[in-house]
Structures are given as structure tokens and as C-alpha cells.
Amino acid sequence: MRSISLLLVASTALFAADGDVEFNRDIRPILSENCYQCHGPDSANRMAGLRLDVRDAAIEKGAITPGDLEASKLVARISSEQEALRMPPVYSQKKLTPEQIATLERWVEQGAAYQSHWAYVAPKRPEAPAGPAAIDALVGKKLAERGLSPVAEADRRTLARRVSLDLTGLPPDPKVVEDFVADKRPDAYERLVDRYLASPHYGERMTLPWLDLVRYADTTGFHNDVPFAVFPYRDYVIRAFNDNMPFDRFTREQLAGDLLPNPTDDQLVASAYNRLNRLTTEGGAQPKEYLAIYAADRVRTTATTWLGSTMACSECHDHKFDPFLTREFYEMEAFFADIQEEGVFERDGEYGSVMQVLSPKAKARIASIDAELERLTLDGGRRPRSYARRARPFPEAPALDRLELGRRHAGPRPGRLLQPRHRRLRRL
């Protein structure tokens, strides 16, 4: 999972050759900001029947004649000296800069090539040195083009502080800083990074933005905003980052962990992602309305978190920018249709089926008790079942009464977690 950020960096580093204009990087932002409101995908607001977001449509209307500035009406209108003819119109309160006009002209001269939205174009590795130096080379190239140079390397104390804050969200321990300053080995910095990656605080730091994405909260969000016991999910995410869980597994367990064959407790906990939306107990609320609200929330959240693209607009109409149709919004919603829940819950704190989750301390205590039981022989040499599953102690063994007392007080009380789909109550 640590490689995700590197992939995101690499996907934005597709630089065109010197002087070439790239539609997604150079042209789309100009047209989207200044032109698409009147000449874009929204047929209700389109003027003069002209679409500039579709190449064939723009050429058909004569707005663009690839390679010919004189014949391209777009070029004439954006550079017109007559205010009444110049685009964008004055009333739009938008105005192209000389640099943007020059970029559009160069684009037309070069053939007015279009591209699909960058999010739907498979990334290609640019020409650069192999290995970690590739990013430095690509960034260095752009800096040089703009007459910029990298800042000087930070001193070791500053570097240690930056690494600590980036990877753990905490200031560094003074001793760690002093050790790093004194470490003269050539891989001292790599050792420092590895040290923070191995810290349990690394998972906590990485979990923060993830919880924001999946709309995690300790309260329900609507009306009374009462407590919402889903903290075992938070702990699952922390462990996933600290254990460097593969991202495909991380995805499956959250979207459908309870549907996996013989799901583990952790997989059931992970699938509580599906129940992190806001819930209501308000008396005047309409159950069917809120079931629709919950379902739509899952589509929006899943699209934003995993697809990196919003589908929210297509809940009501075909998307104006991304290639999503209203029909597809509800097709995606159907993937979550088996989640059993009520639209309006009757009482605060009662939100459908739950499972109880033992704390790590309680699990360790139970494991210790089970190990002790392995050394005991009861009922003529037969070994007892796992003590964690027993309803009461064997009366023949007074020692087990003492163990039961330890079991009852082993660690904090189990956490309660909402179950995403219909299951019987599990008590561990």
C-alpha cells in the first residue's frame, strides 16, 4: 500500500516533448473554465449548437480547422478586437490571458488533437532513468524549463523532523534525531525512513486521510448525533497499513469481506465500511427515503475513494463532464442492494445487527487461558474445548473457576460493531 502515492506521482508525470501542446494538460483546463458552460456537454445551456468538448462537433461547426489558424473560427473569436465578437463574452465575467490565447493557437497549428479525460487513459512510462531517480529526473526537467532549481538539501535535524511528521504525524524523539545526526553511514537516511515505517504510529498517520474518505465517524451524524460504536473498523485500517496489506485485499475485505468464504473476524470488521454512512432515528423521517439516501451515499463514497472520480452528479442526470450516465449510477447502487438495514431506526444506539469484537488484550488473555487448559486433563484424560467458546466452567476443576475469573476481567469490554449485511448476532 505504500506504493500508492508513488503511482499517483508517476501518473501525473507524463510530460510532452518540448513545445508540444497536450490537450489534457494544456487545453482542457482552458476550455473547461472558459468555454464549456456554453459550448460543452450540457445540452440545456448549449449556445449556437456548438460543442467544443467533442472534436468532430467542433470541426463540423468550423470552430476548429486543424492546422489552419485563418480558417478556425475559435481563433478568430478569442483574439477579436471587437468586444461584441470576442469570446468568452463580457457578461460571462471570464477572460483569456494572452498566454492562454497563444496556447490555443499553437494547439490548432499542431492539429488540434483531443484526448480522453486523463483518468481514463492508461498511463505510459515516460523516458527517464530507471528506479527512484526517475521522479527526480522528471521533476528536474520541468524545473529547468521554468528557470527554477531545487532548494538546498535540508540539514539533518530538519530532515528528521520532516520525515517524522510525514510518516507518523508526530514530532521526532530527540534521541532519534541525535542518532541520525551522528550516523555517518551512507544509508542513514534510508534507515531513518525504515524506522518510522516500522512505527505503529505510521498506520495511525496513514489511516487519518482514509477515514476521511470513507466518512468514518464516532457518531451518527443526523439529528441527535448519538455515539456510533464502529471503532474496531478504525483499528482494522491502522493494522492494514502497519502490516502493509496488499491493496487488492484491502479493497475486497472492505467492499465485501462478509461475503468471502468463511470470513474471519477482521474481514467482517472491514466490511463495516458499508455501514459507515449517517443513520437516523428521527420520528418524522420517511424510511424509504432514507434507504435511498444511504444507498446513494455508498455509490458516491465508493466512486470517490476507489475510482478517484465523483459520480454524485449522475444521481440526477447524466454527468456533465465525466463519462457516467444516470443509469450507471443506479447499476452501481445495485451492487450494495443486499445490505439489510432500516431506513429509520427506532431507538438511538440500535442500528441493526451487531457483532462483538474482542480487544487484542482480551484475545491475548484468552489465548493464555487456552494454553493453560492444554496442560490440564479433565474427565478421565479428555481435553476441554477452547475455553473461549465455553458457556460455564467444568465443575470438576476448581482451577478453572480461577481462570474464569481472569477471563471475565481480561482487558476492556468487547467493542460493538455494526454488521453490513444480515447475519445472526455473533458473540466471541
Side-chain angles (χ1 to χ4, degrees):
M1 291 174 65
R2 293 168 194 158
S3 62
I4 295 174
S5 58
L6 294 180
L7 290 174
L8 293 175
V9 171
S11 69
T12 62
L14 306 178
F15 301 126
D18 292 342
D20 285 352
V21 178
E22 186 177 285
F23 182 81
N24 280 338
R25 185 190 62 208
D26 305 313
I27 302 302
R28 187 189 293 274
I30 299 175
L31 298 180
S32 178
E33 174 64 23
N34 299 281
C35 308
Y36 283 175
Q37 182 175 347
C38 300
H39 303 296
D42 188 355
S43 59
N45 293 318
R46 191 177 303 140
M47 301 184 68
L50 172 61
R51 292 191 67 167
L52 292 177
D53 61 314
V54 177
R55 187 175 191 266
D56 289 344
I59 293 174
E60 181 181 351
K61 283 287 185 177
I64 297 171
T65 301
D68 190 340
L69 291 179
E70 296 294 331
S72 297
K73 295 179 182 178
L74 169 70
V75 175
R77 296 297 292 271
I78 63 175
S79 57
S80 175
E81 295 183 358
Q82 299 182 45
E83 187 175 280
L85 296 177
R86 189 166 56 246
M87 289 289 167
V90 175
Y91 62 78
S92 70
Q93 298 183 336
K94 297 179 183 296
K95 184 177 181 180
L96 296 176
T97 66
E99 292 78 14
Q100 290 174 324
I101 294 173
T103 299
L104 289 170
E105 290 176 345
R106 194 162 68 252
W107 171 61
V108 172
E109 281 183 323
Q110 294 177 5
Y114 277 65
Q115 291 175 306
S116 299
H117 190 284
W118 66 266
Y120 311 107
V121 177
K124 297 180 180 179
R125 186 176 295 277
E127 294 183 6
I135 294 177
D136 290 341
L138 293 171
V139 173
K141 177 183 176 182
K142 278 298 171 184
L143 290 176
E145 289 176 1
R146 301 181 184 183
L148 302 174
S149 59
V151 298
E153 182 174 333
D155 64 88
R156 287 206 161 192
R157 284 185 170 80
T158 300
L159 192 57
R161 178 178 174 80
R162 290 175 180 174
V163 172
S164 179
L165 290 172
D166 283 346
L167 295 182
T168 69
L170 301 170
D173 182 280
K175 186 178 185 309
V176 174
V177 176
E178 295 305 322
D179 289 346
F180 176 57
V181 170
D183 192 345
K184 304 304 181 184
R185 290 174 292 187
D187 62 345
Y189 178 71
E190 286 76 7
R191 289 172 179 269
L192 179 68
V193 171
D194 288 341
R195 180 171 186 166
Y196 283 119
L197 290 176
S199 166
H201 298 305
Y202 168 78
E204 296 166 357
R205 169 69 178 87
M206 299 301 293
T207 293
L208 282 173
W210 186 264
L211 296 184
D212 286 341
L213 284 170
V214 299
R215 77 291 200 226
Y216 173 90
D218 292 316
T219 58
T220 57
F222 277 131
H223 309 299
N224 295 338
D225 201 24
V226 297
F228 193 42
V230 289
F231 63 87
Y233 171 84
R234 173 204 63 199
D235 296 343
Y236 161 85
V237 177
I238 293 173
R239 290 195 301 274
F241 277 105
N242 280 333
D243 295 342
N244 203 21
M245 180 185 291
F247 189 69
D248 56 349
R249 174 184 162 191
F250 188 63
T251 296
R252 283 194 299 269
E253 292 185 356
Q254 289 183 76
L255 295 182
D258 59 325
L259 300 182
L260 295 173
N262 302 313
T264 65
D265 293 334
D266 272 356
Q267 289 168 339
L268 292 174
V269 167
S271 61
Y273 155 78
N274 295 287
R275 295 290 307 281
L276 293 179
N277 52 280
R278 294 184 296 172
L279 301 168
T280 185
T281 58
E282 194 265 326
Q286 299 298 312
K288 289 186 178 179
E289 175 190 7
Y290 274 86
L291 284 174
I293 290 173
Y294 302 159
D297 176 89
R298 289 186 190 100
V299 175
R300 291 192 296 267
T301 304
T302 302
T304 301
T305 304
W306 272 277
L307 302 182
S309 184
T310 174
M311 289 185 68
C313 298
S314 47
E315 180 180 359
C316 301
H317 52 73
D318 290 350
H319 207 292
K320 304 297 184 186
F321 195 79
D322 292 328
F324 298 127
L325 305 178
T326 304
R327 184 189 73 248
E328 293 169 334
F329 184 95
Y330 293 97
E331 286 175 345
M332 185 169 178
E333 188 176 290
F335 281 103
F336 304 100
D338 60 342
I339 296 175
Q340 300 297 313
E341 61 186 342
E342 302 172 37
V344 178
F345 295 90
E346 294 182 0
R347 294 182 301 277
D348 289 342
E350 299 294 333
Y351 299 109
S353 61
V354 298
M355 64 178 289
Q356 289 189 329
V357 182
L358 291 176
S359 69
K361 185 176 180 181
K363 288 182 179 180
R365 178 61 176 153
I366 291 173
S368 174
I369 293 172
D370 282 341
E372 179 69 17
L373 289 172
E374 286 294 324
R375 295 195 294 269
L376 298 176
T377 303
L378 303 174
D379 293 342
R382 288 178 297 170
R383 295 184 182 278
R385 292 171 296 169
S386 169
Y387 190 75
R389 300 286 190 260
R390 292 184 58 248
R392 60 181 183 275
F394 288 97
E396 299 89 344
L400 289 180
D401 290 329
R402 294 193 293 275
L403 290 173
E404 181 185 28
L405 181 63
R407 162 72 172 83
R408 287 173 178 164
H409 298 283
R413 295 180 62 187
R416 296 175 71 249
L417 183 78
L418 288 177
Q419 293 240 69
R421 296 171 172 84
H422 180 67
R423 285 183 179 273
R424 64 183 176 82
L425 176 66
R426 291 171 57 93
R427 295 186 181 276
L428 306 181

